[in-house]
């Protein structure tokens, strides 16, 4: 403010003029920043060029420059990258506030399922009990940290074990799961005699190999085409016997059947 004295007809008259009040306007009032961080400017508009102002922030993950000024100006706001949940900081400039909202740290997951036959049979995967996804799909928007990956159950296949996958900020984690074909071989054995000769007719279903191994009492007695039928005999021994059938050269086997004549 300022004062002036005026003399009129020998008398003094005092005039006092008040200074113009300083007012300020910020633009923008708020800003949303990606989890990766970044920088932006906040414009300060002052009502008078001599109007002084200062700036301050309340969070360590935000920095500002300059911290003071006069009249019109701008403040550069720099936001560091976020590795956790969403967060908010408040910057005070000339008594007014500018709010910074930062997105949470997010990443993606891509899962490939093997073999293709399992995919065709309906194999799927999901994270943390969410929606089922197809092989090769990339799920976005996952929070940074550990998540549970699981696979669905499909008939005739054993599913992969659950996995703990780690999601990193702004990155795509890739992993895979392999189904195993679950073979169920159903074996039946019919025994009979023709005079002194004894026979065992084996019939089966469910084997997928080209050849099968026929076991009697734990020992291979034949390797035969996987055509669903095999006759063991004739033989003379009439003691009880236990038969089993396996896909050739593997441990994928049928139930055991004990018979007598």
């Amino acid at each position: 403010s300022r004062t002036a004295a005026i003399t009129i007809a020998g008398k003094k008259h005092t005039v006092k003029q008040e200074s113009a009040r300083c007012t300020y306007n910020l633009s923008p009032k708020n800003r949303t920043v990606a989890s990766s961080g970044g920088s932006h400017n906040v414009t300060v508009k002052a009502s008078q060029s001599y109007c002084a102002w200062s700036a301050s922030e309340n969070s360590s993950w935000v920095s500002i420059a300059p911290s003071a000024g006069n009249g019109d100006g701008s403040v550069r706001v720099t936001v560091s990258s976020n590795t956790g949940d969403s967060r908010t900081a408040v910057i005070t400039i000339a008594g007014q506030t500018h709010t910074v909202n930062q997105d949470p740290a997010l990443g993606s997951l891509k899962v490939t399922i093997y073999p293709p036959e399992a995919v065709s049979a309906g194999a799927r995967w999901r994270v943390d009990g969410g929606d089922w996804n197809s092989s090769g799909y990339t799920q976005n928007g996952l929070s940074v940290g550990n998540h549970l990956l699981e696979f669905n159950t499909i008939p005739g296949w054993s599913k992969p074990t659950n996995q703990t996958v780690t999601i990193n900020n702004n990155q795509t984690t890739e992993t895979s799961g392999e189904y195993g074909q679950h073979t169920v071989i159903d074996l039946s054995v019919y025994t009979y005699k023709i005079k002194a000769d004894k026979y065992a007719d084996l019939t089966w279903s469910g084997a997928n190999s080209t050849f099968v191994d026929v076991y009697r009492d734990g020992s291979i007695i034949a390797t035969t085409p996987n055509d669903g039928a095999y006759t063991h005999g004739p033989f003379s021994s009439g003691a009880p016997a236990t038969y089993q059938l396996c896909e050739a050269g593997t441990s994928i086997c049928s139930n055991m059947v004990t018979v007598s004549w």
Side-chain angles (χ1 to χ4, degrees):
S1 62
R2 55 189 179 179
T3 303
I6 302 172
T7 300
I8 304 173
K11 294 183 178 181
K12 184 181 289 187
H13 177 73
T14 301
V15 177
K16 185 176 181 180
Q17 185 179 37
E18 297 290 340
S19 299
R21 186 178 180 182
C22 290
T23 59
Y24 305 91
N25 183 53
L26 302 184
S27 179
K29 295 290 187 181
N30 54 70
R31 176 65 66 90
T32 298
V33 181
S35 61
S36 56
S39 298
H40 63 276
N41 290 326
V42 180
T43 300
V44 183
K45 295 293 290 184
S47 58
Q48 302 293 332
S49 61
Y50 56 78
C51 291
W53 51 265
S54 62
S56 62
E57 41 73 23
N58 69 346
S59 300
S60 60
W61 48 274
V62 173
S63 61
I64 57 175
S67 59
N70 290 283
D72 295 344
S74 67
V75 176
R76 185 70 169 172
V77 179
T78 301
V79 181
S80 61
S81 62
N82 189 4
T83 59
D85 296 331
S86 59
R87 54 188 181 180
T88 299
V90 176
I91 299 169
T92 302
I93 306 173
Q96 300 189 44
T97 58
H98 171 78
T99 303
V100 177
N101 298 304
Q102 189 172 29
D103 293 335
L106 299 175
S108 304
L109 176 65
K110 179 180 180 180
V111 180
T112 303
I113 297 175
Y114 300 100
E117 292 80 5
V119 175
S120 298
R124 299 289 186 269
W125 62 273
R126 68 180 179 182
V127 178
D128 299 333
D131 295 334
W132 291 107
N133 302 311
S134 301
S135 175
Y137 177 75
T138 299
Q139 183 170 336
N140 300 312
L142 296 174
S143 60
V144 169
N146 292 332
H147 296 263
L148 178 64
L149 167 65
E150 59 181 326
F151 300 85
N152 68 331
T153 300
I154 53 176
W157 297 83
S158 57
K159 66 179 181 179
T161 56
N162 294 344
Q163 299 180 27
T164 298
V165 293
T166 301
I167 301 301
N168 298 308
N169 191 24
N170 293 322
Q171 296 182 23
T172 299
T173 299
E174 295 191 28
T175 189
S176 62
E178 185 168 0
Y179 280 73
Q181 194 161 17
H182 180 59
T183 302
V184 177
I185 304 175
D186 184 21
L187 174 65
S188 297
V189 182
Y190 171 72
T191 60
Y192 57 97
K193 294 189 293 182
I194 300 178
K195 296 184 179 181
D197 295 326
K198 300 175 178 61
Y199 297 85
D201 284 347
L202 285 71
T203 57
W204 65 90
S205 62
N208 294 313
S209 57
T210 303
F211 290 90
V212 293
D213 295 329
V214 180
Y215 287 81
R216 174 178 165 133
D217 296 332
S219 299
I220 294 179
I221 59 173
T223 296
T224 185
N226 181 20
D227 55 11
Y230 173 78
T231 296
H232 180 213
F235 50 88
S236 58
S237 174
T242 299
Y243 288 91
Q244 189 177 32
L245 183 137
C246 302
E247 293 186 354
T250 76
S251 59
I252 301 174
C253 300
S254 71
N255 53 302
M256 294 184 179
V257 179
T258 299
V259 296
S260 59
W261 288 263

